[in-house]
Amino acid sequence: MATRLIKISVVYFAVGVLLGYYMSIVGSDDLADVHVHVSLLGWTALMLAGILYHLFPALAQTGLAKAHFWLHNIGLPVMMISSLLLVVTNTTSYATGVTIGSTLTVLGILLFVINILANLHTRR
């Protein structure tokens, strides 16, 4: 799971950088919210989770870790694509996708937090 999270995170890194590059070329920050969330929740959060799961493999073996992985990796693209469409089309019907994706992502992150707090122990 650790390796998959790290690989997924670098895809988000590329998407975030390319989105930032696009915004700088067109001179518009309309997609800044999408750019920031892709960079923070995709690149940074998933990279750190992958590193933690690599350093502490027992954390990656829990049901909490598996639920975190799926909720985060389903919720984030739904949230980001919906946010992008919401901004680009100015159609509020995409707000439902933002809400669903955000909720799934937050639940996944909360399970990650619970997993760390409950199962990360000092090595001896």
Side-chain angles (χ1 to χ4, degrees):
M1 176 182 310
T3 303
R4 283 189 289 164
L5 283 172
I6 291 169
K7 287 181 177 183
I8 291 167
S9 78
V10 298
V11 171
Y12 279 113
F13 183 43
V15 170
V17 167
L18 290 171
L19 190 53
Y21 179 64
Y22 167 79
M23 289 187 311
S24 70
I25 288 173
V26 299
S28 172
D29 62 355
D30 289 349
L31 298 174
D33 185 54
V34 177
H35 167 71
V36 168
H37 283 84
V38 163
S39 299
L40 179 62
L41 294 173
W43 159 237
T44 307
L46 290 178
M47 177 61 77
L48 290 172
I51 291 168
L52 279 169
Y53 288 149
H54 177 74
L55 291 174
F56 304 96
L59 291 173
Q61 302 306 314
T62 67
L64 290 168
K66 289 170 182 55
H68 161 238
F69 177 89
W70 287 110
L71 288 170
H72 200 137
N73 284 292
I74 292 170
L76 186 57
V78 169
M79 178 175 60
M80 293 299 85
I81 292 167
S82 298
S83 293
L84 180 81
L85 292 170
L86 182 69
V87 171
V88 170
T89 67
N90 202 24
T91 305
T92 58
S93 61
Y94 293 108
T96 302
V98 175
T99 301
I100 291 168
S102 299
T103 301
L104 293 174
T105 305
V106 167
L107 288 173
I109 291 169
L110 291 175
L111 293 178
F112 174 71
V113 169
I114 292 167
N115 189 22
I116 298 299
L117 294 176
N119 298 309
L120 182 62
H121 305 292
T122 305
R123 290 191 205 185
R124 294 180 191 192

